[in-house]
Amino acid sequence: MKAPFLKALPILHKLEAAGYEAYFVGGAVRDFLLARPIDDVDIATSATPEEVKEVFSKTVDVGIAHGTIVVLYQGESYEITTFRSESDYADFRRPNEVTFIRSLTEDLRRRDFTMNAIAMNKNGELIDPFAGQAAIKAKMIKTVGNAGERFQEDALRMMRAIRFVSQLSFSLEKETYNALKEHSKWLEMIAVQRKTIEFEKLLKGENYQMAIKLLIDTGLYRFLPGFKDKHKELAAFSQFDLTGHFAISEYWVLLLYHFHLPRNNVEAFLRSWKLPVKQIRRVKLGLSLLTQRLDHEWKLEELYRAGKESAIRTEKLLNVLQERYIDANIDELEGVWQRLPLKERKELAITGQNLLEWYQLQGGPWIEEKLLAIEKAIINGELKNERVSIKEWLFTCSQP
């Protein structure tokens, strides 16, 4: 049993000592069987939320209506969920009613995929009523029971299925695949934020190229923001392997490059995915720099304005597009950067305050214009980064 389970083992012991069943469940058990890194350890128990709160002194009600309590124990937090069954789903996400039960098997029956419906007891023994281990061995993603019913309960499970293809390099079982194709329209009912989380996890998986192909083949792509008529562009995007080289923003940059959106439509597209403002800015900058770099080699001022890290990311994306070694030209680019006489504005020998004093004018946009002109002259070797030289240049060589 691995360290994360061993650390959480006292939780199981305390619940069992109080007369309840308790097991490790879900993704942690799956990842243990796959020898993958284990993040959060989830626990399922026959104890009701109120009974869990009687056993542990420090708890947080995070989803008590659905049976989930967070237990704070020895500096760690653990989600403990009561065995439950669920009634019909009215909105493709939430059950109309949750019933707490005492059966582990029935609790596992409501889960999405067989590989996620395996429990582990305190001795490391596995409880696997739906052949999840066999599915893992076969590298197969298969729903627990009827695939259509599982997807109707929570349509986001369709995105999760394809996300697991990307992350685990598994295949979709035939019935599961067919249900995805038949019921893809249900994804339209899911909140954008939830789809964005799954899509970005999908992009960062080792097999994201196959996952994108499945999005297209099953028709799910049509119910993702801005993707409805973009199957050809998605297919072109999926030809490039970015795995392990880029942050998620660069995936969006390459995707948008293939979408060929008008510049004034880029932000609207990114906002439709509910991306954070900071990420939207980074993607827009990245797309602008990539478009510029595809047009011509770096100019010194462009390199300075981009900044070293953004320039390197852009060069690497260019290498991907042109099917070159990912780090081609990076050493040369870093060399040019190191030779720049100015690398950021705070290195300037003067400030805006100096300009106010020299010109005896009120502040305004003119200050930024002057600073930009000074930076450009220094970068292009026309001016030394010295206060006296800058002042002389401003009043003799530059327009007032």
Side-chain angles (χ1 to χ4, degrees):
M1 192 177 291
K2 288 191 173 181
F5 295 114
L6 293 173
K7 196 168 187 178
L9 208 51
I11 303 290
L12 269 60
H13 287 153
K14 287 177 74 71
L15 285 166
E16 290 189 353
Y20 306 109
E21 294 180 46
Y23 304 89
F24 298 119
V25 294
V29 178
R30 177 200 68 229
D31 289 340
F32 166 70
L33 294 172
L34 287 167
R36 289 169 59 87
I38 297 170
D39 295 322
D40 297 331
V41 171
D42 293 330
I43 295 168
T45 180
S46 60
T48 65
E50 293 302 325
E51 290 167 340
V52 171
K53 293 170 76 170
E54 290 175 2
V55 175
F56 298 97
S57 58
K58 296 180 179 180
T59 62
V60 181
D61 297 354
V62 293
I64 193 167
H66 291 89
T68 300
I69 294 286
V70 168
V71 169
L72 307 177
Y73 186 80
Q74 294 184 347
E76 300 288 341
S77 60
Y78 300 97
E79 279 198 5
I80 301 181
T81 303
T82 303
F83 298 160
R84 70 191 193 202
S85 63
E86 299 168 345
S87 63
D88 293 338
Y89 291 66
D91 60 359
F92 297 93
R93 178 183 176 187
R94 299 181 185 87
N96 293 332
E97 184 180 356
V98 171
T99 303
F100 299 141
I101 58 178
R102 302 290 187 179
S103 168
L104 171 64
T105 298
E106 291 307 306
D107 180 74
L108 295 175
R109 190 185 302 278
R110 68 176 176 81
R111 297 177 183 269
D112 52 6
F113 307 111
T114 58
M115 64 181 182
N116 295 332
I118 307 170
M120 180 192 295
N121 68 16
K122 64 183 180 183
N123 299 317
E125 298 167 341
L126 299 172
I127 298 89
D128 182 15
F130 302 105
Q133 292 175 89
I136 289 173
K137 186 175 182 180
K139 296 186 175 183
M140 190 71 64
I141 296 168
K142 174 180 170 60
T143 58
V144 177
N146 183 275
E149 291 177 3
R150 295 294 81 76
F151 295 148
Q152 186 176 31
E153 290 165 356
D154 184 352
L156 191 68
R157 287 171 171 171
M158 295 189 286
M159 283 293 291
R160 282 170 56 82
I162 294 182
R163 187 249 290 182
F164 283 128
V165 169
S166 177
Q167 290 181 322
L168 305 179
S169 294
F170 279 20
S171 300
L172 292 173
E173 178 263 344
K174 185 177 180 180
E175 181 189 339
T176 303
Y177 173 82
N178 289 338
L180 284 173
K181 292 192 70 171
E182 182 179 355
H183 304 300
S184 60
K185 62 182 179 297
W186 289 346
L187 189 62
E188 195 169 23
M189 307 298 293
I190 298 299
V192 169
Q193 292 90 334
R194 297 183 79 212
K195 290 190 276 195
T196 299
I197 290 171
E198 292 298 325
F199 184 65
E200 290 195 331
K201 288 181 178 179
L202 178 160
L203 289 179
K204 292 295 286 180
E206 294 181 359
N207 200 22
Y208 87 91
Q209 294 166 295
M210 176 56 71
I212 293 292
K213 183 178 185 301
L214 285 170
L215 281 180
I216 297 169
D217 292 347
T218 59
L220 281 172
Y221 77 95
R222 295 173 297 159
F223 306 101
L224 297 175
F227 280 16
K228 186 174 182 180
D229 301 315
K230 299 293 185 181
H231 64 281
K232 291 181 180 178
E233 291 84 350
L234 277 171
F237 162 73
S238 71
Q239 300 305 306
F240 297 95
D241 184 6
L242 306 183
T243 308
H245 298 293
F246 297 99
I248 191 63
S249 294
E250 280 60 64
Y251 287 78
W252 286 108
V253 169
L254 193 62
L255 183 67
L256 280 165
Y257 167 76
H258 283 92
F259 276 21
H260 303 293
L261 296 177
R263 178 174 291 187
N264 57 356
N265 289 355
V266 169
E267 183 161 345
F269 171 85
L270 295 171
R271 286 186 180 277
S272 73
W273 281 87
K274 308 293 185 184
L275 296 181
V277 172
K278 185 176 180 180
Q279 186 177 5
I280 289 175
R281 288 182 186 143
R282 174 165 164 162
V283 174
K284 287 176 64 180
L285 173 62
L287 182 61
S288 176
L289 291 174
L290 179 61
T291 303
Q292 171 187 282
R293 180 64 184 86
L294 283 162
D295 183 64
H296 57 261
E297 295 287 337
W298 289 102
K299 297 176 182 177
L300 293 181
E301 187 182 357
E302 291 171 346
L303 187 57
Y304 169 72
R305 301 289 176 210
K308 179 181 176 181
E309 297 306 317
S310 292
I312 289 174
R313 288 195 298 267
T314 301
E315 197 69 23
K316 287 186 175 182
L317 278 174
L318 180 75
N319 290 336
V320 169
L321 282 172
Q322 297 185 345
E323 299 182 359
R324 295 197 299 244
Y325 170 55
I326 190 73
D327 288 325
N329 304 323
I330 299 301
D331 288 344
E332 293 87 340
L333 183 65
E334 288 185 323
V336 174
W337 168 264
Q338 291 301 328
R339 291 190 294 274
L340 288 176
L342 189 69
K343 296 180 178 62
E344 51 185 328
R345 176 165 289 182
K346 68 181 182 180
E347 295 178 358
L348 267 179
I350 70 158
T351 66
Q353 185 61 39
N354 295 125
L355 296 178
L356 289 171
E357 294 170 359
W358 295 343
Y359 283 95
Q360 293 294 299
L361 297 173
Q362 290 185 341
W366 67 272
I367 295 178
E368 178 64 17
E369 292 172 6
K370 292 290 185 188
L371 291 173
L372 288 171
I374 293 165
E375 288 175 326
K376 180 177 180 179
I378 293 172
I379 291 298
N380 290 328
E382 301 166 6
L383 174 63
K384 290 184 178 180
N385 186 24
E386 299 171 351
R387 182 175 298 191
V388 173
S389 298
I390 293 171
K391 186 174 183 181
E392 181 181 352
W393 181 81
L394 283 171
F395 286 98
T396 60
C397 303
S398 176
Q399 294 297 316

